[in-house]
Amino acid sequence: MSKELELLEKIVTNTSSSMNPLWVAGITGSTAVQTALITSVIAYKMNKNMLNLEREKIKAEVITKERMLWLKQLRENASEFFVQMDFNYNLLKREITVPIEKYQKNLIR
């Protein structure tokens, strides 16, 4: 049993730290702080990129919506214009049975 005890004592001496425990704690703590800082910087950059992407999406949605409204209004205006042109064309195409002066006076009123 003494050989085993000697072997365990040698293992303890060989694996024991030659550094001061305060240094070990300082290195471990600074590693944890650096890891937290690096992680937070990476998370900040990713969130910033995500925010820019969301802003671009919102801009695209607003522009698309406004373009659709503009197109709808343009179609309505063109439709009204062609209805009016058709009405005027049919009015001019009709045959007049009264004198032109009397007809024109009726149109102006």
Side-chain angles (χ1 to χ4, degrees):
M1 188 104 159
S2 64
K3 285 185 180 183
E4 294 155 349
L5 192 56
E6 284 176 36
L7 184 60
L8 287 173
E9 285 175 0
K10 283 185 181 181
I11 291 173
V12 167
T13 7
N14 289 339
T15 57
S16 69
S17 174
S18 61
M19 293 182 73
N20 186 357
L22 188 61
W23 280 103
V24 173
I27 291 172
T28 306
S30 67
T31 304
V33 169
Q34 287 176 353
T35 304
L37 286 174
I38 290 171
T39 305
S40 63
V41 167
I42 290 172
Y44 171 76
K45 290 191 180 247
M46 288 176 61
N47 286 336
K48 187 177 176 185
N49 289 339
M50 189 67 71
L51 180 65
N52 289 338
L53 183 63
E54 288 299 319
R55 281 186 183 150
E56 292 300 319
K57 280 184 184 178
I58 290 172
K59 282 181 189 177
E61 287 176 15
V62 168
I63 289 171
T64 302
K65 183 178 177 183
E66 289 299 318
R67 283 182 180 168
M68 293 304 289
L69 290 173
W70 175 78
L71 213 78
K72 181 182 174 188
Q73 187 65 37
L74 184 66
R75 285 179 183 148
E76 289 174 2
N77 290 346
S79 173
E80 290 175 15
F81 174 75
F82 285 117
V83 165
Q84 198 69 348
M85 290 298 292
D86 189 46
F87 174 77
N88 289 337
Y89 177 73
N90 287 334
L91 187 65
L92 291 173
K93 198 171 143 185
R94 269 194 322 199
E95 223 176 283
I96 302 172
T97 57
V98 292
I100 292 178
E101 292 82 22
K102 186 177 178 183
Y103 182 71
Q104 287 178 345
K105 284 181 185 178
N106 287 340
L107 283 178
I108 293 173
R109 287 186 197 164

